[in-house]
Amino acid sequence: MIDHGDGRGRSDDAKLYLTTLLNSLTLASLYFIVASGFTLVFGLMRNVNLAHGSLYLLGAYLGWMVGDATGSWLLAVAAGFVSAAIAGLLMQVTIFRWMQGQDLRQTLVTIGLSIVLADLMLAVWGGKTYQFDPPGWLYGATKLPFVRAYPTYRLVLLATAIVIGIGLWLFLNRTRIGMMIRAGVDDRGMLSATGVNVQLVFATTFAIGAGLAGLAGVIGGTALSIAPGEDTRYLLAS
Protein backbone atom coordinates (compact mmCIF):
# COMPACT_ATOMS: atom_id res chain seq x y z
CA MET A 1 0.00 0.00 0.00
CA ILE A 2 1.46 3.35 -1.05
CA ASP A 3 1.47 6.05 1.63
CA HIS A 4 0.53 9.36 -0.02
CA GLY A 5 1.98 11.35 2.83
CA ASP A 6 -1.38 12.23 4.37
CA GLY A 7 -1.92 8.96 6.23
CA ARG A 8 -4.38 7.55 3.71
CA GLY A 9 -2.23 4.47 3.08
CA ARG A 10 -2.02 3.56 6.75
CA SER A 11 -5.73 4.30 7.19
CA ASP A 12 -6.64 1.94 4.35
CA ASP A 13 -4.38 -0.73 5.82
CA ALA A 14 -6.09 -0.39 9.21
CA LYS A 15 -9.57 -0.67 7.63
CA LEU A 16 -8.52 -3.76 5.67
CA TYR A 17 -7.06 -5.34 8.81
CA LEU A 18 -10.20 -4.67 10.86
CA THR A 19 -12.47 -5.98 8.10
CA THR A 20 -10.39 -9.15 7.81
CA LEU A 21 -10.45 -9.55 11.59
CA LEU A 22 -14.24 -9.25 11.65
CA ASN A 23 -14.55 -11.75 8.80
CA SER A 24 -12.43 -14.21 10.77
CA LEU A 25 -14.41 -13.68 13.97
CA THR A 26 -17.78 -14.15 12.30
CA LEU A 27 -16.67 -17.31 10.50
CA ALA A 28 -15.26 -18.61 13.79
CA SER A 29 -18.62 -17.79 15.39
CA LEU A 30 -20.38 -20.03 12.90
CA TYR A 31 -17.90 -22.84 13.56
CA PHE A 32 -18.39 -22.30 17.29
CA ILE A 33 -22.16 -22.78 17.07
CA VAL A 34 -21.67 -26.09 15.25
CA ALA A 35 -18.87 -27.13 17.62
CA SER A 36 -20.91 -26.25 20.71
CA GLY A 37 -23.39 -28.99 19.83
CA PHE A 38 -20.53 -31.36 19.06
CA THR A 39 -18.99 -30.55 22.45
CA LEU A 40 -22.19 -31.50 24.28
CA VAL A 41 -22.30 -34.86 22.53
CA PHE A 42 -18.62 -35.74 22.25
CA GLY A 43 -16.80 -33.67 24.83
CA LEU A 44 -19.34 -34.00 27.62
CA MET A 45 -21.28 -37.23 26.97
CA ARG A 46 -18.32 -39.08 25.42
CA ASN A 47 -20.38 -40.14 22.40
CA VAL A 48 -18.39 -40.21 19.16
CA ASN A 49 -20.86 -38.82 16.64
CA LEU A 50 -19.15 -38.40 13.29
CA ALA A 51 -22.54 -37.75 11.69
CA HIS A 52 -22.73 -34.34 13.38
CA GLY A 53 -21.94 -32.59 10.11
CA SER A 54 -24.85 -34.43 8.48
CA LEU A 55 -27.16 -32.97 11.12
CA TYR A 56 -25.87 -29.52 10.16
CA LEU A 57 -26.66 -30.09 6.49
CA LEU A 58 -30.00 -31.77 7.20
CA GLY A 59 -31.13 -28.85 9.35
CA ALA A 60 -30.00 -26.44 6.63
CA TYR A 61 -31.92 -28.21 3.86
CA LEU A 62 -35.13 -28.67 5.85
CA GLY A 63 -34.89 -25.12 7.15
CA TRP A 64 -34.53 -23.90 3.57
CA MET A 65 -37.65 -25.83 2.53
CA VAL A 66 -39.69 -24.29 5.35
CA GLY A 67 -38.30 -20.82 4.68
CA ASP A 68 -39.01 -21.13 0.95
CA ALA A 69 -42.58 -22.30 1.60
CA THR A 70 -43.45 -19.73 4.27
CA GLY A 71 -41.20 -16.81 3.42
CA SER A 72 -40.20 -16.60 7.08
CA TRP A 73 -36.54 -16.75 8.03
CA LEU A 74 -37.38 -17.24 11.72
CA LEU A 75 -39.53 -20.26 10.91
CA ALA A 76 -36.62 -21.61 8.86
CA VAL A 77 -34.34 -21.23 11.90
CA ALA A 78 -36.88 -23.03 14.10
CA ALA A 79 -37.33 -25.79 11.53
CA GLY A 80 -33.57 -26.30 11.25
CA PHE A 81 -33.21 -26.63 15.01
CA VAL A 82 -36.23 -28.89 15.55
CA SER A 83 -35.56 -31.22 12.60
CA ALA A 84 -31.93 -31.77 13.59
CA ALA A 85 -32.94 -32.21 17.25
CA ILE A 86 -35.45 -34.90 16.30
CA ALA A 87 -32.87 -36.66 14.12
CA GLY A 88 -30.35 -36.50 16.98
CA LEU A 89 -32.91 -37.85 19.43
CA LEU A 90 -33.57 -40.81 17.14
CA MET A 91 -29.83 -41.43 16.87
CA GLN A 92 -29.46 -41.42 20.65
CA VAL A 93 -32.38 -43.82 21.18
CA THR A 94 -31.59 -46.23 18.36
CA ILE A 95 -27.78 -46.15 18.26
CA PHE A 96 -25.86 -44.53 21.11
CA ARG A 97 -28.07 -45.92 23.87
CA TRP A 98 -26.85 -49.40 22.98
CA MET A 99 -23.20 -48.50 22.39
CA GLN A 100 -22.28 -46.51 25.47
CA GLY A 101 -18.52 -46.58 25.99
CA GLN A 102 -17.87 -48.40 22.69
CA ASP A 103 -15.93 -45.65 20.95
CA LEU A 104 -14.76 -47.62 17.93
CA ARG A 105 -18.20 -49.03 17.21
CA GLN A 106 -19.77 -45.56 17.54
CA THR A 107 -17.18 -44.18 15.15
CA LEU A 108 -17.76 -46.81 12.47
CA VAL A 109 -21.56 -46.71 12.72
CA THR A 110 -21.78 -42.92 12.55
CA ILE A 111 -19.34 -42.74 9.63
CA GLY A 112 -21.59 -45.16 7.78
CA LEU A 113 -24.66 -43.17 8.79
CA SER A 114 -23.10 -39.92 7.55
CA ILE A 115 -22.39 -41.51 4.15
CA VAL A 116 -25.98 -42.76 3.88
CA LEU A 117 -27.40 -39.39 4.90
CA ALA A 118 -25.15 -37.56 2.45
CA ASP A 119 -26.36 -39.74 -0.42
CA LEU A 120 -30.00 -39.36 0.61
CA MET A 121 -29.71 -35.57 0.81
CA LEU A 122 -27.97 -35.51 -2.57
CA ALA A 123 -30.81 -37.56 -4.04
CA VAL A 124 -33.50 -35.30 -2.58
CA TRP A 125 -31.96 -31.85 -3.03
CA GLY A 126 -29.47 -32.53 -5.81
CA GLY A 127 -26.11 -30.85 -6.21
CA LYS A 128 -27.49 -27.32 -6.30
CA THR A 129 -26.30 -24.55 -4.02
CA TYR A 130 -28.96 -22.93 -1.85
CA GLN A 131 -28.86 -19.75 0.21
CA PHE A 132 -31.23 -18.09 2.66
CA ASP A 133 -32.25 -14.47 2.36
CA PRO A 134 -31.96 -12.75 5.75
CA PRO A 135 -34.97 -10.76 6.99
CA GLY A 136 -35.12 -7.07 6.22
CA TRP A 137 -33.95 -6.00 9.68
CA LEU A 138 -30.77 -8.04 9.22
CA TYR A 139 -30.14 -6.97 5.66
CA GLY A 140 -27.71 -4.21 4.83
CA ALA A 141 -24.62 -2.83 6.52
CA THR A 142 -23.77 -1.21 9.84
CA LYS A 143 -21.29 1.61 10.23
CA LEU A 144 -18.51 0.85 12.69
CA PRO A 145 -15.56 2.88 14.01
CA PHE A 146 -12.64 2.67 11.55
CA VAL A 147 -14.78 0.57 9.17
CA ARG A 148 -17.10 2.31 6.75
CA ALA A 149 -19.69 -0.47 6.73
CA TYR A 150 -19.91 -4.11 7.68
CA PRO A 151 -22.74 -6.60 6.98
CA THR A 152 -25.28 -6.41 9.79
CA TYR A 153 -26.03 -10.12 9.56
CA ARG A 154 -22.45 -11.07 10.32
CA LEU A 155 -22.46 -8.87 13.41
CA VAL A 156 -25.65 -10.57 14.58
CA LEU A 157 -23.99 -13.93 13.93
CA LEU A 158 -21.11 -12.94 16.20
CA ALA A 159 -23.54 -11.81 18.93
CA THR A 160 -25.55 -15.04 18.56
CA ALA A 161 -22.46 -17.18 19.11
CA ILE A 162 -21.62 -15.22 22.27
CA VAL A 163 -25.17 -15.63 23.60
CA ILE A 164 -25.15 -19.37 22.87
CA GLY A 165 -21.78 -19.80 24.56
CA ILE A 166 -22.91 -17.99 27.71
CA GLY A 167 -26.26 -19.78 27.65
CA LEU A 168 -24.65 -23.23 27.46
CA TRP A 169 -22.28 -22.39 30.31
CA LEU A 170 -25.18 -21.26 32.48
CA PHE A 171 -27.22 -24.31 31.46
CA LEU A 172 -24.50 -26.77 32.42
CA ASN A 173 -23.26 -25.03 35.56
CA ARG A 174 -26.25 -23.20 37.00
CA THR A 175 -29.27 -25.44 36.35
CA ARG A 176 -30.49 -28.67 37.87
CA ILE A 177 -30.54 -30.40 34.49
CA GLY A 178 -26.96 -29.32 33.83
CA MET A 179 -25.86 -30.78 37.15
CA MET A 180 -27.65 -34.04 36.32
CA ILE A 181 -25.90 -34.19 32.95
CA ARG A 182 -22.47 -33.74 34.53
CA ALA A 183 -23.30 -36.23 37.28
CA GLY A 184 -24.50 -38.79 34.74
CA VAL A 185 -21.27 -38.52 32.80
CA ASP A 186 -19.17 -39.01 35.95
CA ASP A 187 -21.22 -41.79 37.55
CA ARG A 188 -24.26 -42.99 35.66
CA GLY A 189 -25.07 -45.75 38.15
CA MET A 190 -25.13 -43.41 41.14
CA LEU A 191 -27.33 -40.88 39.35
CA SER A 192 -29.74 -43.63 38.34
CA ALA A 193 -29.87 -44.83 41.94
CA THR A 194 -31.18 -41.40 43.00
CA GLY A 195 -34.24 -41.92 40.81
CA VAL A 196 -33.17 -39.83 37.83
CA ASN A 197 -34.03 -41.17 34.38
CA VAL A 198 -30.51 -41.11 32.96
CA GLN A 199 -31.57 -42.12 29.45
CA LEU A 200 -34.02 -39.23 29.30
CA VAL A 201 -31.36 -36.79 30.47
CA PHE A 202 -28.86 -38.04 27.90
CA ALA A 203 -31.46 -38.08 25.10
CA THR A 204 -32.38 -34.48 25.89
CA THR A 205 -28.73 -33.45 25.87
CA PHE A 206 -28.13 -35.19 22.55
CA ALA A 207 -31.19 -33.52 21.05
CA ILE A 208 -29.95 -30.08 22.14
CA GLY A 209 -26.51 -30.74 20.68
CA ALA A 210 -27.99 -31.94 17.40
CA GLY A 211 -30.42 -29.02 17.33
CA LEU A 212 -27.53 -26.57 17.60
CA ALA A 213 -26.05 -28.17 14.48
CA GLY A 214 -29.32 -27.67 12.61
CA LEU A 215 -29.58 -24.10 13.89
CA ALA A 216 -26.08 -23.43 12.61
CA GLY A 217 -27.11 -24.92 9.26
CA VAL A 218 -29.70 -22.20 8.69
CA ILE A 219 -27.45 -19.45 10.07
CA GLY A 220 -24.51 -20.66 7.98
CA GLY A 221 -26.70 -21.04 4.91
CA THR A 222 -27.65 -17.37 5.29
CA ALA A 223 -24.09 -16.13 5.76
CA LEU A 224 -22.57 -18.44 3.14
CA SER A 225 -24.46 -21.19 1.31
CA ILE A 226 -25.75 -24.77 1.48
CA ALA A 227 -24.23 -27.39 -0.79
CA PRO A 228 -23.16 -31.05 -0.76
CA GLY A 229 -19.89 -31.49 1.11
CA GLU A 230 -20.62 -28.84 3.72
CA ASP A 231 -21.31 -31.63 6.24
CA THR A 232 -17.71 -32.85 6.09
CA ARG A 233 -16.35 -29.32 6.22
CA TYR A 234 -18.20 -28.39 9.39
CA LEU A 235 -17.57 -31.76 11.03
CA LEU A 236 -13.82 -31.25 10.63
CA ALA A 237 -14.12 -27.69 11.89
CA SER A 238 -15.97 -28.97 14.96
Side-chain angles (χ1 to χ4, degrees):
M1 183 72 66
I2 299 175
D3 192 340
H4 298 282
D6 56 1
R8 283 184 295 169
R10 286 189 293 272
S11 176
D12 290 342
D13 286 343
K15 291 178 181 178
L16 178 61
Y17 173 79
L18 289 174
T19 301
T20 304
L21 177 63
L22 285 172
N23 287 339
S24 302
L25 285 175
T26 52
L27 180 59
S29 298
L30 177 58
Y31 287 154
F32 170 79
I33 297 173
V34 183
S36 62
F38 192 67
T39 298
L40 280 177
V41 174
F42 180 57
L44 181 63
M45 296 174 59
R46 309 292 191 270
N47 285 333
V48 185
N49 179 23
L50 294 187
H52 191 73
S54 299
L55 295 173
Y56 168 92
L57 195 56
L58 178 65
Y61 277 132
L62 292 177
W64 181 86
M65 288 183 63
V66 171
D68 185 59
T70 64
S72 173
W73 184 80
L74 293 178
L75 284 179
V77 171
F81 180 89
V82 172
S83 60
I86 292 174
L89 182 61
L90 291 175
M91 290 173 61
Q92 165 64 21
V93 173
T94 59
I95 297 176
F96 289 99
R97 180 178 180 179
W98 313 104
M99 298 181 183
Q100 193 64 37
Q102 302 178 42
D103 296 347
L104 180 58
R105 182 171 293 183
Q106 291 175 0
T107 300
L108 294 176
V109 169
T110 53
I111 287 176
L113 182 61
S114 68
I115 295 172
V116 172
L117 288 174
D119 286 344
L120 288 175
M121 287 186 283
L122 183 61
V124 173
W125 287 285
K128 298 179 181 178
T129 298
Y130 300 91
Q131 188 173 26
F132 294 89
D133 291 324
W137 57 277
L138 288 178
Y139 192 80
T142 300
K143 293 183 179 179
L144 297 173
F146 309 109
V147 179
R148 291 180 181 175
Y150 193 77
T152 302
Y153 181 79
R154 283 183 170 267
L155 295 175
V156 173
L157 170 58
L158 176 59
T160 300
I162 294 172
V163 170
I164 288 176
I166 295 174
L168 283 177
W169 185 86
L170 292 173
F171 172 71
L172 292 173
N173 294 279
R174 292 292 186 267
T175 66
R176 180 178 176 82
I177 297 178
M179 289 187 287
M180 287 192 295
I181 293 171
R182 289 183 285 115
V185 171
D186 292 336
D187 195 330
R188 175 180 296 199
M190 183 61 71
L191 181 63
S192 180
T194 63
V196 175
N197 188 335
V198 178
Q199 291 300 333
L200 178 60
V201 171
F202 276 25
T204 302
T205 307
F206 204 103
I208 294 173
L212 287 172
L215 172 72
V218 178
I219 294 175
T222 308
L224 301 173
S225 61
I226 312 166
E230 293 292 284
D231 49 346
T232 303
R233 172 187 171 186
Y234 283 94
L235 173 65
L236 294 176
S238 298

